[in-house]
Amino acid sequence: MTNMKKYTLLIIVLFYGGFIALGQNSKILSSVKNVETKVDSVLALMTLEEKVGQLIQYNGSWDLTGPASELDNKQKEENIKKGLVGSMLNVLSVKATKEAQKLLMENSRMKIPMMFGYDVIHGYKTIFPVPLGETASWDLEAMENSARIAAIESVADGINWTFSPMIDISRDARWGRIMEGSGEDPYLTSMVAVAKVKGYQGNDLSGDLTIAATAKHFAGYGMAEAGRDYNTVNLGDNELHNTVLPPFKAAADAGVATFMNSFNEIDGIPSTGNKHLQRDILKGDWNWDGFVVSDWGSIPEMISHGVAKDKKQAAEIAIKAGSDMDMEGGAYEASLQELVLEGSVDEKLIDDAVKRVLRVKFKLGLFDDPYKYSNPEVAANISYEDHKKAARDVARKSIVLLKNENNLLPLKPEVKSIAVIGPLANDKDSPIGNWRAQGEANSAVSVLEGIKTAAGKDVKVNYALGTTLGIGERSFLMPLEINTTDRSGFKEALEIAKKSELVIMVLGEDAFQTGEGRSQSKIGLAGLQQELLKEIYKVNKNIILVLINGRPLEISWSSENIPTIVEAWQLGSESGNAIADVLFGKYNPSGKLPVSFPRTVGQEPLYYNQKNTGRPSSDLHVTYSHYTDVGKDALFPFGFGLSYTQFEYGEIDLSASEMNADGNIEVSIPVTNTTRPVKELKGFQLLDLNPGESRIVKFVIDEKMLQFYTSNKIWESEAGEFEVFVGGNSRDVKSAAFNLIKN
Ligand code: BGC
C-alpha cells in the first residue's frame, strides 16, 4: 500500500422519533412528457425580441393599476402586454397575479405565461423556524414538510416559484445571512437541500400545489471575507469543490428547477460572470437543465465590481457566463438584442437560455393553464390550524438544550412561582425572524404566552420587560437601533426575580439583526441585555436562559454562570408554545447545533471540520495554529445538544478492518438510554429510545463516501487508514479504524 494517509469520518446519532435519513438523492421525476419537443416548437416561433423578453424579470409590488416599482410602471405594463417579460417577483395575491398574467395572455403574440417568484424562505403565512434553527432539528422529513406547507400557502397567494433553499455554507457568525442557511457542514446542508427541493417541488412540478425551487446563491456567498455581506470571497478549488459546491450538486441532482447566482466575486470573477461555475460545472459537468436567475441587479453590479464598463458589457459577460435571467437589473432588456444583432453574442446562447426558461414553465404546467396558480379555491381549502401544528412540531424539534445543570429543566411541578424577564419574553415579533414572507408582524406566540398556557393556574407567572433591545423602527430595510442607555425597567425585573423561585430570562436578537445586509462585528447579547442578566443573577441564581436569535451568539459568561441555557432560535409562528413544550417537559429536547458557537467572536470563522495544519498539536509550546488567549475549539461544537435523558455509547464494531474500493464496511454501535433511574460528517440517524432501551445503530461505509475533490481535480478516494467516529456531537465520540485498499 503506497501513499498511506489518515482520514477521519464522523457519524452523529441523534435522538428522537425514529427514522433513518441517509442517502436520499432521488431524482425528481417530471410527469411532463415530451417537454423538449414542445420547448423547441415554441422557440422556433419566437422573434429575437421575444426571446430576450423571456430572460427578463421585473419586480412587481403589484396593485391593480399596474406593477408599482421604482422603474417606469407604464413602460413595464406595455412590455408585459407585448410578452417581453419572462417572470415577475413580489407580485402577491391570486388577484394580482391573475391580472398580470391576463395582461400578457390577452395582448401578447406568443402568449408565454410568466412565472411569479417570491422569497418564501421559512414559510409563507405560517412561519417555521429560520433555516439555521430548523436545521438544528436534523429532521429531514419535518423540513420537507415545512417546505411543502410553504408551497401550498404560496400557491394560495398566486406564487409558483420560491427563491429557496439558500444552501450557502457559512462558518462566520458575523454574517447576517447565516440564519438563512443550514450552517457549516456540506453533508448536512446537502441533505437539507434535497429535503427542501422535494418539499417545494414534490415529485411532480406540474402538481397543483407544488412550486419551483431555487438553489442559491451560486456560489461561495457564505464565505464572504470578515463576514461582511457581499464581500469578496477567496476560495481555492479544494474548498470550492469539497465545501461549497456539494449542496448545490445535491440540489441539482434532486431536480431543483432554478439556481440563483450570487453577489460576490471569487478570485476576481463575480459569480454572475463566472463561466466556469455556471457553464462548465453546473450546466456542463452536472448536466443540469434548469435556468439560472441572477441575484437582484447582480448583472449591472458587475460595473461596481470593476469587470464591466457599462450595462451593455455586463449583459454580454453575464449571458456568456450562463446567467439566464436578469432579476430587475435592466441589463438584458437594454442590450441583449443589440449584442446579438451586432454579432457580439451568439444567438445560440440566447436560445439555450430561453429553452431553459420554457422548460421550467412547461414543467410547472403553465402552458396548460396560465392561471393555474391564481386559483382562489386553494386558499379556501387550507387548514391553517394544521399548518400551525406542523410549525409547533418542527419548532420544538429545533430547540437545542445547551446546558442543564442542577436539572432545572424540565420544570418541576413543585415550582410555584416563575419570573419571566427580558426584552424578548413577551415579544411576538422577533420569533418571526427576517425573510418572513407574508408572516404577519407581531404574530408569533410569545414565550410568556406559551408559558402561561402551559403553567396552569397553580403557578404564579410574573413578567417584566427588564430592558428594551432596540429603539425606534424595526424593519427589513432599517437596521435596528440598539438601546444602550435606558435601564428604567431593571428595578421591576429585579423585584420579580427576588420573589420568584426561578427566573426564565428571554434574551437574544431582534428579527432584523440577522438577514441580508445585517452583518455584525459583535455577536454578544446586544444592548443592555448582558448587564440585566448579571444584575438578575445577583438576586436569583436559578436562571433558565432562553435565547432567541438567528446566528450563533457569544455567550461565554452565561455558559460559565447560568445553570441552564436553551437555544431557541427564531422559531416562527408557534415559538412560545414550542419553547413551553420543552421547558415543561412535554417534549424532550433533541435538537443539535448545525453550526459552532464560539468562545469569542475573534475565533470566527469557526467550524468543526477544519483541516490539520502542519503543526496541529495542542501542545502549549506549539501554539501556532491556536490563540494565545483562548482555545481554538468551540464553546458548543457542531452537533452539540443535550436532552433530558442520557445516552451511553458502547464500543464501535466494524465488520472488517480493511476495505477494497468496491467493497463496504458496516459500522455498528450499541446506544443505550441510561436514564433508568477533525472530522467529516458522513451520516446521521434519528433514534427514539425508551429509558433503559438499548439498540444497535448501523451505518454502511463504501468507497464513494470516502471520495473528495483532490489536487488531481477529480473526485476520488485515497488508500489509507480511516478513523470512524460515532457520537452524539462532533466532539464527544467513540472511534475505530479501518484501511481502504486500492491497487
Ligand atoms: C437576495 C436574494 C433574494 C433576492 C430577491 C436579493 O437581495 O440576495 O436572496 O432572493 O434579493 O428578493
Side-chain angles (χ1 to χ4, degrees):
M1 228 174 301
T2 54
N3 205 6
M4 280 288 280
K5 294 198 177 168
K6 211 170 165 171
Y7 302 89
T8 53
L9 309 174
L10 175 67
I11 293 170
I12 291 192
V13 183
L14 309 104
F15 296 91
Y16 147 78
F19 88 89
I20 291 170
L22 274 175
Q24 299 184 350
N25 235 358
S26 68
K27 278 227 178 227
I28 304 240
L29 297 174
S30 165
S31 64
V32 183
K33 299 265 183 295
N34 303 323
V35 168
E36 290 313 300
T37 324
K38 292 179 184 169
V39 165
D40 287 339
S41 58
V42 172
L43 184 78
L45 300 172
M46 295 171 78
T47 64
L48 176 60
E49 189 187 30
E50 285 163 341
K51 288 178 190 173
V52 169
Q54 285 306 305
L55 311 183
I56 290 164
Q57 181 177 78
Y58 281 165
N59 180 39
S61 302
W62 186 267
D63 60 33
L64 287 179
T65 55
S69 135
E70 48 305 326
L71 298 179
D72 182 343
N73 291 337
K74 206 69 218 141
Q75 190 56 48
K76 278 188 170 178
E77 209 170 306
E78 286 312 307
N79 291 343
I80 292 170
K81 282 186 182 166
K82 288 189 210 146
L84 300 181
V85 183
S87 69
M88 297 188 77
L89 80 156
N90 298 336
V91 181
L92 306 176
S93 89
V94 156
K95 199 171 168 195
T97 50
K98 186 159 193 176
E99 200 72 23
Q101 197 78 296
K102 258 172 105 177
L103 261 191
L104 184 141
M105 295 305 293
E106 291 177 1
N107 295 291
S108 67
R109 190 182 78 89
M110 285 298 294
K111 304 190 191 318
I112 300 175
M114 289 188 285
M115 287 167 67
F116 294 98
Y118 191 46
D119 290 290
V120 184
I121 308 296
H122 53 112
Y124 189 81
K125 278 192 175 133
T126 307
I127 300 300
F128 294 90
V130 295
L132 187 65
E134 198 187 49
T135 304
S137 74
W138 295 59
D139 188 328
L140 299 173
E141 202 173 280
M143 288 187 254
E144 182 180 328
N145 191 40
S146 68
R148 194 181 58 77
I149 289 172
I152 294 171
E153 293 187 4
S154 301
V155 173
D157 225 8
I159 301 301
N160 51 32
W161 179 18
T162 174
F163 305 128
S164 165
M166 193 274 230
I167 48 178
D168 298 313
I169 297 297
S170 174
R171 294 156 165 194
D172 199 326
R174 293 170 297 181
W175 192 49
R177 299 195 80 167
I178 197 169
M179 55 77 71
E180 282 176 63
S182 290
E184 69 192 37
D185 184 69
Y187 178 83
L188 178 58
T189 304
S190 301
M191 303 299 275
V192 176
V194 174
K196 287 289 171 192
V197 172
K198 282 167 83 177
Y200 291 127
Q201 299 193 168
N203 290 324
D204 183 355
L205 211 47
S206 73
D208 287 344
L209 299 175
T210 55
I211 59 176
T214 308
K216 73 183 188 186
H217 305 85
F218 196 62
Y221 186 43
M223 302 297 220
E225 198 173 271
R228 271 198 342 259
D229 209 2
Y230 317 125
N231 205 11
T232 309
V233 170
N234 291 305
L235 201 56
D237 247 13
N238 179 291
E239 196 70 348
L240 176 70
H241 285 272
N242 289 309
T243 304
V244 170
L245 294 185
F248 289 99
K249 171 76 163 59
D253 286 346
V256 70
T258 71
F259 264 53
M260 183 186 292
N261 57 32
S262 57
F263 288 128
N264 60 284
E265 62 141 89
I266 300 177
D267 215 12
I269 307 175
S271 298
T272 312
N274 197 322
K275 183 169 169 297
H276 179 58
L277 277 178
Q278 301 187 135
R279 285 209 185 278
D280 301 347
I281 296 177
L282 175 61
K283 296 175 180 177
D285 297 349
W286 299 353
N287 202 21
W288 175 77
D289 70 359
F291 73 86
V292 179
V293 63
S294 79
D295 203 344
W296 183 297
S298 69
I299 298 178
E301 282 184 14
M302 286 198 286
I303 304 169
S304 306
H305 274 293
V307 304
K309 66 173 188 293
D310 53 21
K311 268 196 178 181
K312 185 175 171 189
Q313 195 185 11
E316 180 178 347
I317 294 171
I319 193 78
K320 286 184 173 167
S323 297
D324 299 311
M325 189 179 275
D326 180 355
M327 181 191 283
E328 194 56 26
Y332 282 3
E333 183 165 55
S335 314
L336 260 196
Q337 229 185 309
E338 190 186 333
L339 284 163
V340 174
L341 293 174
E342 73 186 25
S344 311
V345 167
D346 190 338
E347 191 167 349
K348 283 203 188 101
L349 292 186
I350 311 288
D351 286 354
D352 176 63
V354 175
K355 278 170 78 168
R356 289 171 178 278
V357 173
L358 295 180
R359 201 174 280 140
V360 173
K361 291 183 176 181
F362 268 112
K363 288 184 184 174
L364 277 170
L366 284 172
F367 281 94
D368 296 329
D369 178 4
Y371 305 110
K372 182 182 153 195
Y373 296 91
S374 303
N375 175 4
E377 275 171 28
V378 176
N381 287 324
I382 286 183
S383 161
Y384 284 99
E385 277 311 306
D386 286 348
H387 293 182
K388 264 193 196 167
K389 277 188 204 142
R392 180 168 179 166
D393 175 62
V394 69
R396 61 193 200 171
K397 286 173 176 166
S398 305
I399 294 170
V400 184
L401 182 62
L402 293 177
K403 193 178 170 192
N404 193 17
E405 257 175 36
N406 313 335
N407 284 328
L408 282 186
L409 288 181
L411 291 168
K412 311 286 169 296
E414 304 83 68
V415 174
K416 294 295 175 221
S417 62
I418 302 173
V420 182
I421 299 173
L424 302 181
N426 199 22
D427 182 358
K428 295 169 70 62
D429 195 66
S430 290
I432 300 292
N434 209 333
W435 291 113
R436 51 180 61 186
Q438 290 299 293
E440 263 176 52
N442 298 308
S443 64
V445 177
S446 75
V447 180
L448 181 65
E449 288 170 335
I451 288 176
K452 279 190 170 165
T453 311
K457 287 193 226 65
D458 294 350
V459 184
K460 177 100 182 80
V461 179
N462 304 301
Y463 161 72
L465 179 73
T467 181
T468 56
L469 173 49
I471 29 183
E473 192 190 339
R474 29 170 31 171
S475 78
F476 178 69
L477 296 171
M478 297 284 295
L480 188 74
E481 200 184 327
I482 301 287
N483 165 31
T484 53
T485 51
D486 182 4
R487 294 177 178 77
S488 56
F490 275 38
K491 190 162 168 277
E492 189 193 354
L494 285 162
E495 273 163 20
I496 67 160
K498 271 187 224 158
K499 69 176 188 202
S500 306
E501 288 164 61
L502 61 81
V503 180
I504 297 175
M505 291 288 295
V506 191
L507 308 176
E509 292 183 306
D510 181 83
F512 299 108
Q513 273 183 267
T514 52
E516 188 172 353
R518 293 292 185 272
S519 297
Q520 288 182 181
S521 66
K522 297 185 199 75
I523 55 168
L525 294 166
L528 300 172
Q529 296 184 99
Q530 183 73 47
E531 191 180 315
L532 175 69
L533 180 60
K534 286 184 176 171
E535 291 299 312
I536 300 287
Y537 183 72
K538 285 182 195 156
V539 300
N540 190 339
K541 301 216 169 349
N542 286 334
I543 297 179
I544 295 161
L545 173 60
V546 174
L547 295 168
I548 294 189
N549 49 294
R551 58 157 60 80
L553 296 176
E554 191 183 298
I555 46 167
S556 285
W557 185 87
S558 302
S559 81
E560 278 161 30
N561 297 285
I562 304 299
T564 300
I565 307 177
V566 176
E567 173 52 67
W569 315 104
Q570 289 150 340
L571 290 176
S573 307
E574 285 291 302
S575 173
N577 286 334
I579 293 168
D581 285 345
V582 164
L583 297 180
F584 287 88
K586 209 167 148 191
Y587 185 79
N588 189 358
S590 56
K592 302 211 173 214
L593 297 177
V595 66
S596 304
F597 273 46
R599 295 177 185 282
T600 160
V601 68
Q603 292 178 307
E604 298 289 326
L606 181 67
Y607 49 101
Y608 83 95
N609 37 3
Q610 304 162 354
K611 293 178 200 156
N612 268 339
T613 64
R615 294 180 171 183
S617 163
S618 56
D619 183 330
L620 253 189
H621 301 291
V622 190
T623 56
Y624 304 107
S625 67
H626 301 248
Y627 299 101
T628 51
D629 57 350
V630 69
K632 71 168 182 178
D633 61 328
L635 179 64
F636 296 106
F638 174 82
F640 187 85
L642 306 171
S643 141
Y644 295 150
T645 41
Q646 253 100 55
F647 298 98
E648 195 179 273
Y649 295 81
E651 290 311 311
I652 295 190
D653 183 32
L654 296 189
S655 60
S657 61
E658 284 184 351
M659 179 174 111
N660 292 322
D662 58 352
N664 63 42
I665 282 185
E666 195 176 77
V667 184
S668 352
I669 184 159
V671 182
T672 306
N673 181 338
T674 55
T675 314
R676 205 167 345 189
V678 171
K679 299 159 193 171
E680 242 187 280
L681 184 65
K682 291 292 177 188
F684 57 89
Q685 286 190 23
L686 297 171
L687 282 191
D688 194 9
L689 290 185
N690 293 322
E693 188 184 346
S694 183
R695 210 179 302 162
I696 308 280
V697 180
K698 292 191 181 208
F699 297 88
V700 175
I701 295 170
D702 60 18
E703 188 265 345
K704 183 122 201 291
M705 245 186 193
L706 309 179
Q707 292 183 355
F708 63 105
Y709 192 82
T710 69
S711 51
N712 296 329
K713 301 211 175 295
I714 50 168
W715 282 80
E716 58 183 342
S717 63
E718 289 182 349
E721 187 183 316
F722 287 79
E723 209 168 350
V724 182
F725 294 107
V726 182
N729 63 59
S730 62
R731 186 181 60 200
D732 308 310
V733 288
K734 293 276 172 122
S735 74
F738 68 90
N739 280 319
L740 172 67
I741 300 170
K742 291 182 88 176
N743 299 319

